[in-house]
Amino acid sequence: MQNEDSRNTIIFLVSAAILFLAYNFFVLEPQSKRREAEAARAKAEAAAQGPALPQPGAPAVQVPAEVTRAAALATSPRVAIRTPSLSGSLSLRGARIDDLFLTQYRETVDKNSPPVELLRPEGTKFAWFADIGWTGANVPGLPTADTVWTLAQGSTLAPGQPVVLTTTNGQGLTFTRKIEVDDRFMFTITDTVANLGVTPITIAPFASVQRQGVPADLGKNQILHEGGVGALGEDHRLRLLGYRKWIKDSGDDTFASKGGWLGITDKYWLAAVVADNGEAIQGQFRHNRIRGLDVVDANFVGQARTVAPGRQVTETTRFFAGAKRVPMLRDYEAKLGIPRFDDAVDWGSMFFWITRPIFEVLQFIYNLVGNFGISILLLTVLVRLVFFPLANKQYESMTKMKKVQPQMEELRKKFKDDPARQQQELLALYQREKVNPLAGCLPILLQIPVFYGLYKTLTVTIEMRHAEFMGWIKDLSAPDPTNIWNLFGLIPWDPAAVPLIGSFIGSTATHHGFLALGILPLLYGFTMWLTTSMSPPAPDPMQQRIFQLMPIMFTFIMAPFAVGLLIYWTWSNVLTILQQYVIMRRFKVDNPIDRMIRKFTGKPAPEG
């Protein structure tokens, strides 16, 4: 048996090494070469556009001194924004959309908590806003961030109630901007430039999403992407640039594209500018270090065009600012032709083939039952049904292993000085009893992608955020809020408020500490202990001790995970226990459930 264990260990290590090398050769290296080729092609395409119309760049970034939010809002006259999904204002100084709250989402599960703040005006801490306009070399009087526009039409920006802004440069150029918004999160900006002067001008449209300072808690979660995102290039390939890499590399690559979009994303929220489908653009993720701040900027510049005297040009740009709801993103993708817009949700570059179907199933069940917690329970049942034949073979083999355990122990004692003979006799026993010692591994391995896919789905999709289940569970995407150290809320005391204890169990808001054991982690640990107890014991005493400790270890490991994931895994364990119990009763093998029943009822153990 020791030789077999050693052989299995070697096979595992060799297989892992082969998989790593294959992934590096077939995935990582081609991706790196493709990025280099695309960067080179983008520069070549930019150079091939010729000198007749010099391509302007996006305007330079400026950062004013930091002020409060109220003070920043007061520096400019404003136009209110009121929709079923948004509230805020746009600044007439610079004609920027820079003040938005998401009225349908709260900061916490408390219904009285404030709405989620998305955009903040320039000058505030962690300012986040959109800048759209025109750029050109040697064209005096183009509107800048300091230009104060005139409100020519409308009073409040709302669905079906656009506003029109105008400004002139005093040198024959008139700029008109029409801003519309739908009942969700999409703005449409139509810019017109009329040349009433005597000389032609060459200008290009630009659009930018800028963040002045990156909060320290963003970009650190390894399972989700936060930072720059977009669909650019000939095939509108998804571009991802995490905050750390963005700041480190300064994002000096450009991407030539026909249409497309790019912006800045957090876990649940997105601010992105969308080019017109027919517009040839150069997309770029820039970084600047200004006044001690890391300023990140996702922008694109359209094709330069000449406006002759007496002529005008019009450009339409869209700006999305809101929650990354998958059905809504797909609706925009279909109706507005925005390529790969639902990829703003981080499905994962490797496991999208499992995360997307899991979300689709959860969404389908939710549409029927109206509760994502119940959807997870039903999804678990579906997964168990898919793996039922394989799992049945696994549990039958494990039950047979448990049944022949006394015979195995006799053979180990009988041939303890002859390992080769011991191995031969054990294999003969397996063949006689039709036992496969490795049968239990495959079903577990096959469920790992499902486990990861559900974990990823619960982490990145806003549909799970603040989704209630029942009782104390108000947010399926957050850890269990209960705590064993205050008897699950029966004692009016918050152990996280004690500095020494709080450093271990986490804060009141997050409960992410590894000692923050709630009700569901404890239920998970109990079900894991029961499934382990129903499995045949390991041959080596040290391995037996390790397996006995694993339920305790995993109880603490799983405690900080999302409640939705614990519901899946605990319910899956319960179904496993039921299936295994039925099989053990069929093979007349003693099991811990029957032992517990006998202990409480006082019934004697069955003979044989």
mmCIF file of all heavy atoms in Angstrom, residues 220-240:
data_model
loop_
_atom_site.group_PDB
_atom_site.id
_atom_site.type_symbol
_atom_site.label_atom_id
_atom_site.label_comp_id
_atom_site.label_asym_id
_atom_site.label_seq_id
_atom_site.Cartn_x
_atom_site.Cartn_y
_atom_site.Cartn_z
ATOM 1 N N LYS A 220 -7.179 44.003 -5.283
ATOM 2 C CA LYS A 220 -6.403 43.059 -4.476
ATOM 3 C C LYS A 220 -7.019 41.666 -4.429
ATOM 4 O O LYS A 220 -6.362 40.728 -4.010
ATOM 5 C CB LYS A 220 -6.250 43.602 -3.050
ATOM 6 C CG LYS A 220 -5.362 44.835 -2.968
ATOM 7 C CD LYS A 220 -5.102 45.246 -1.536
ATOM 8 C CE LYS A 220 -4.131 46.422 -1.479
ATOM 9 N NZ LYS A 220 -3.836 46.832 -0.087
ATOM 10 N N ASN A 221 -8.279 41.540 -4.826
ATOM 11 C CA ASN A 221 -8.928 40.235 -4.823
ATOM 12 C C ASN A 221 -8.486 39.458 -6.059
ATOM 13 O O ASN A 221 -8.739 39.865 -7.188
ATOM 14 C CB ASN A 221 -10.450 40.394 -4.817
ATOM 15 C CG ASN A 221 -11.172 39.106 -4.507
ATOM 16 O OD1 ASN A 221 -10.720 38.021 -4.865
ATOM 17 N ND2 ASN A 221 -12.301 39.216 -3.843
ATOM 18 N N GLN A 222 -7.824 38.321 -5.824
ATOM 19 C CA GLN A 222 -7.232 37.578 -6.919
ATOM 20 C C GLN A 222 -8.263 36.880 -7.804
ATOM 21 O O GLN A 222 -7.958 36.506 -8.935
ATOM 22 C CB GLN A 222 -6.250 36.528 -6.369
ATOM 23 C CG GLN A 222 -5.073 37.117 -5.621
ATOM 24 C CD GLN A 222 -4.220 38.018 -6.492
ATOM 25 O OE1 GLN A 222 -3.919 37.693 -7.639
ATOM 26 N NE2 GLN A 222 -3.830 39.169 -5.969
ATOM 27 N N ILE A 223 -9.486 36.683 -7.302
ATOM 28 C CA ILE A 223 -10.468 35.927 -8.080
ATOM 29 C C ILE A 223 -11.303 36.815 -9.000
ATOM 30 O O ILE A 223 -12.051 36.327 -9.830
ATOM 31 C CB ILE A 223 -11.387 35.125 -7.147
ATOM 32 C CG1 ILE A 223 -12.087 34.012 -7.935
ATOM 33 C CG2 ILE A 223 -12.403 36.029 -6.461
ATOM 34 C CD1 ILE A 223 -12.877 33.057 -7.092
ATOM 35 N N LEU A 224 -11.199 38.131 -8.862
ATOM 36 C CA LEU A 224 -11.977 39.003 -9.742
ATOM 37 C C LEU A 224 -11.106 40.120 -10.297
ATOM 38 O O LEU A 224 -10.067 40.462 -9.739
ATOM 39 C CB LEU A 224 -13.190 39.573 -9.008
ATOM 40 C CG LEU A 224 -12.962 40.489 -7.802
ATOM 41 C CD1 LEU A 224 -12.865 41.941 -8.221
ATOM 42 C CD2 LEU A 224 -14.089 40.329 -6.792
ATOM 43 N N HIS A 225 -11.545 40.661 -11.440
ATOM 44 C CA HIS A 225 -10.798 41.735 -12.094
ATOM 45 C C HIS A 225 -11.392 43.084 -11.732
ATOM 46 O O HIS A 225 -12.605 43.296 -11.824
ATOM 47 C CB HIS A 225 -10.837 41.564 -13.612
ATOM 48 C CG HIS A 225 -10.268 42.746 -14.345
ATOM 49 N ND1 HIS A 225 -8.919 42.998 -14.410
ATOM 50 C CD2 HIS A 225 -10.874 43.777 -14.996
ATOM 51 C CE1 HIS A 225 -8.707 44.108 -15.093
ATOM 52 N NE2 HIS A 225 -9.878 44.600 -15.455
ATOM 53 N N GLU A 226 -10.518 44.003 -11.344
ATOM 54 C CA GLU A 226 -10.881 45.398 -11.127
ATOM 55 C C GLU A 226 -9.818 46.257 -11.788
ATOM 56 O O GLU A 226 -8.621 46.023 -11.599
ATOM 57 C CB GLU A 226 -10.975 45.713 -9.633
ATOM 58 C CG GLU A 226 -12.131 45.016 -8.930
ATOM 59 C CD GLU A 226 -12.184 45.312 -7.440
ATOM 60 O OE1 GLU A 226 -11.130 45.212 -6.777
ATOM 61 O OE2 GLU A 226 -13.273 45.646 -6.944
ATOM 62 N N GLY A 227 -10.250 47.263 -12.555
ATOM 63 C CA GLY A 227 -9.305 48.115 -13.268
ATOM 64 C C GLY A 227 -9.821 48.456 -14.644
ATOM 65 O O GLY A 227 -11.026 48.689 -14.843
ATOM 66 N N GLY A 228 -8.921 48.486 -15.630
ATOM 67 C CA GLY A 228 -9.310 48.809 -16.992
ATOM 68 C C GLY A 228 -9.936 47.615 -17.690
ATOM 69 O O GLY A 228 -9.522 46.470 -17.512
ATOM 70 N N VAL A 229 -10.955 47.892 -18.500
ATOM 71 C CA VAL A 229 -11.638 46.834 -19.243
ATOM 72 C C VAL A 229 -12.159 47.425 -20.542
ATOM 73 O O VAL A 229 -12.484 48.617 -20.612
ATOM 74 C CB VAL A 229 -12.792 46.231 -18.414
ATOM 75 C CG1 VAL A 229 -13.856 47.284 -18.104
ATOM 76 C CG2 VAL A 229 -13.422 45.033 -19.106
ATOM 77 N N GLY A 230 -12.209 46.621 -21.586
ATOM 78 C CA GLY A 230 -12.739 47.105 -22.851
ATOM 79 C C GLY A 230 -12.743 46.013 -23.897
ATOM 80 O O GLY A 230 -12.163 44.935 -23.712
ATOM 81 N N ALA A 231 -13.427 46.285 -25.010
ATOM 82 C CA ALA A 231 -13.433 45.389 -26.162
ATOM 83 C C ALA A 231 -12.929 46.190 -27.343
ATOM 84 O O ALA A 231 -13.637 47.065 -27.865
ATOM 85 C CB ALA A 231 -14.829 44.837 -26.415
ATOM 86 N N LEU A 232 -11.688 45.919 -27.745
ATOM 87 C CA LEU A 232 -11.017 46.708 -28.779
ATOM 88 C C LEU A 232 -10.261 45.791 -29.722
ATOM 89 O O LEU A 232 -9.916 44.663 -29.375
ATOM 90 C CB LEU A 232 -10.045 47.710 -28.146
ATOM 91 C CG LEU A 232 -10.627 48.761 -27.198
ATOM 92 C CD1 LEU A 232 -9.503 49.442 -26.428
ATOM 93 C CD2 LEU A 232 -11.449 49.782 -27.971
ATOM 94 N N GLY A 233 -9.955 46.308 -30.907
ATOM 95 C CA GLY A 233 -9.172 45.560 -31.876
ATOM 96 C C GLY A 233 -10.035 45.070 -33.025
ATOM 97 O O GLY A 233 -11.254 45.303 -33.076
ATOM 98 N N GLU A 234 -9.401 44.372 -33.969
ATOM 99 C CA GLU A 234 -10.116 43.889 -35.143
ATOM 100 C C GLU A 234 -11.257 42.953 -34.772
ATOM 101 O O GLU A 234 -12.330 42.977 -35.369
ATOM 102 C CB GLU A 234 -9.139 43.168 -36.079
ATOM 103 C CG GLU A 234 -8.115 44.091 -36.719
ATOM 104 C CD GLU A 234 -7.171 43.326 -37.630
ATOM 105 O OE1 GLU A 234 -7.319 42.086 -37.704
ATOM 106 O OE2 GLU A 234 -6.316 43.949 -38.251
ATOM 107 N N ASP A 235 -11.005 42.094 -33.779
ATOM 108 C CA ASP A 235 -12.024 41.147 -33.361
ATOM 109 C C ASP A 235 -12.688 41.559 -32.051
ATOM 110 O O ASP A 235 -13.361 40.755 -31.418
ATOM 111 C CB ASP A 235 -11.412 39.745 -33.209
ATOM 112 C CG ASP A 235 -10.219 39.749 -32.262
ATOM 113 O OD1 ASP A 235 -9.799 40.849 -31.844
ATOM 114 O OD2 ASP A 235 -9.700 38.661 -31.951
ATOM 115 N N HIS A 236 -12.485 42.821 -31.670
ATOM 116 C CA HIS A 236 -13.031 43.339 -30.402
ATOM 117 C C HIS A 236 -12.691 42.401 -29.247
ATOM 118 O O HIS A 236 -13.549 42.001 -28.463
ATOM 119 C CB HIS A 236 -14.549 43.542 -30.503
ATOM 120 C CG HIS A 236 -14.922 44.641 -31.436
ATOM 121 N ND1 HIS A 236 -15.678 44.444 -32.565
ATOM 122 C CD2 HIS A 236 -14.618 45.965 -31.428
ATOM 123 C CE1 HIS A 236 -15.842 45.584 -33.212
ATOM 124 N NE2 HIS A 236 -15.207 46.537 -32.535
ATOM 125 N N ARG A 237 -11.413 42.077 -29.175
ATOM 126 C CA ARG A 237 -10.951 41.192 -28.113
ATOM 127 C C ARG A 237 -11.044 41.884 -26.765
ATOM 128 O O ARG A 237 -10.834 43.095 -26.657
ATOM 129 C CB ARG A 237 -9.501 40.780 -28.394
ATOM 130 C CG ARG A 237 -8.952 39.760 -27.434
ATOM 131 C CD ARG A 237 -7.700 39.121 -27.999
ATOM 132 N NE ARG A 237 -6.879 38.620 -26.912
ATOM 133 C CZ ARG A 237 -5.823 39.238 -26.425
ATOM 134 N NH1 ARG A 237 -5.436 40.377 -26.944
ATOM 135 N NH2 ARG A 237 -5.136 38.725 -25.437
ATOM 136 N N LEU A 238 -11.363 41.096 -25.730
ATOM 137 C CA LEU A 238 -11.502 41.664 -24.394
ATOM 138 C C LEU A 238 -10.138 42.096 -23.865
ATOM 139 O O LEU A 238 -9.169 41.338 -23.908
ATOM 140 C CB LEU A 238 -12.112 40.628 -23.449
ATOM 141 C CG LEU A 238 -12.447 41.113 -22.037
ATOM 142 C CD1 LEU A 238 -13.555 42.154 -22.085
ATOM 143 C CD2 LEU A 238 -12.839 39.945 -21.145
ATOM 144 N N ARG A 239 -10.074 43.332 -23.380
ATOM 145 C CA ARG A 239 -8.833 43.871 -22.813
ATOM 146 C C ARG A 239 -9.032 44.073 -21.313
ATOM 147 O O ARG A 239 -9.975 44.741 -20.882
ATOM 148 C CB ARG A 239 -8.476 45.221 -23.449
ATOM 149 C CG ARG A 239 -8.556 45.235 -24.965
ATOM 150 C CD ARG A 239 -7.431 44.467 -25.609
ATOM 151 N NE ARG A 239 -7.614 44.360 -27.053
ATOM 152 C CZ ARG A 239 -6.714 43.881 -27.894
ATOM 153 N NH1 ARG A 239 -5.556 43.449 -27.426
ATOM 154 N NH2 ARG A 239 -6.966 43.810 -29.178
ATOM 155 N N LEU A 240 -8.138 43.496 -20.539
ATOM 156 C CA LEU A 240 -8.191 43.612 -19.092
ATOM 157 C C LEU A 240 -6.863 44.139 -18.581
ATOM 158 O O LEU A 240 -5.801 43.635 -18.962
ATOM 159 C CB LEU A 240 -8.494 42.259 -18.437
ATOM 160 C CG LEU A 240 -9.809 41.582 -18.829
ATOM 161 C CD1 LEU A 240 -9.888 40.188 -18.227
ATOM 162 C CD2 LEU A 240 -11.004 42.411 -18.389
#
